[in-house]
Amino acid sequence: MDILSIAILIFIIMESANVAILYFWPGSQIGNGVGVFNAFHNSESEEQKLFASYLVNWVAGVKLIFIFLLTVILVTGTEAVRVGAVVAMILSIATYFWRLHPTIKKLDAMGCITPKGYSKALGWMITGFMIMFTLALFLHILTKVM
């Protein structure tokens, strides 16, 4: 198994765990559980609770799309397709820092996240994914050049 496939497989495994958390334990504070958001536990109306539940399940469904597409790429994709998938993952993961990270940082600063400082931990985790895929791509290119 090549380095690109290993990186993709690691991502598939970690994201599968996150999907399980979102579907079966959405209030969890581990993985991508939304239990870190105080508002998730403090929804006052049934409408807010249903809306929050809908969004959590929507996110889990979108993650499943990534997982299934990456699985197909891993199983049937050529080397060029795996390279393209890794580049796409780097770029798509980087979008977290455009919109989501500024928002979670504000919520963290406002005391709306438990535990405090979670936005930094999540930022580092997302950065770790980007580093993993970037290193895999770099090593793949390096081994092809040598």
Side-chain angles (χ1 to χ4, degrees), residues 91-120:
L91 295 174
S92 64
I93 292 169
T95 65
Y96 165 82
F97 293 101
W98 173 48
R99 299 296 288 259
L100 295 173
H101 192 67
T103 302
I104 198 169
K105 274 179 57 177
K106 285 180 187 175
L107 287 167
D108 211 348
M110 294 167 55
C112 300
I113 305 283
T114 303
K116 186 138 181 72
Y118 177 78
S119 62
K120 288 180 185 174

Side-chain angles (χ1 to χ4, degrees), residues 29-103:
Q29 290 187 348
I30 61 172
N32 279 140
V34 293
V36 297
F37 296 96
N38 298 345
F40 180 76
H41 301 288
N42 298 331
S43 298
E44 295 179 12
S45 71
E46 185 65 18
E47 179 183 4
Q48 288 175 333
K49 289 177 185 176
L50 288 172
F51 181 62
S53 176
Y54 174 84
L55 290 178
V56 167
N57 287 296
W58 184 81
V59 168
V62 171
K63 286 176 173 282
L64 277 177
I65 293 169
F66 274 100
I67 290 166
F68 291 146
L69 286 174
L70 286 172
T71 300
V72 169
I73 288 167
L74 188 62
V75 172
T76 66
T78 63
E79 178 185 345
V81 171
R82 285 192 308 275
V83 168
V86 166
V87 170
M89 291 306 297
I90 294 166
L91 295 174
S92 64
I93 292 169
T95 65
Y96 165 82
F97 293 101
W98 173 48
R99 299 296 288 259
L100 295 173
H101 192 67
T103 302

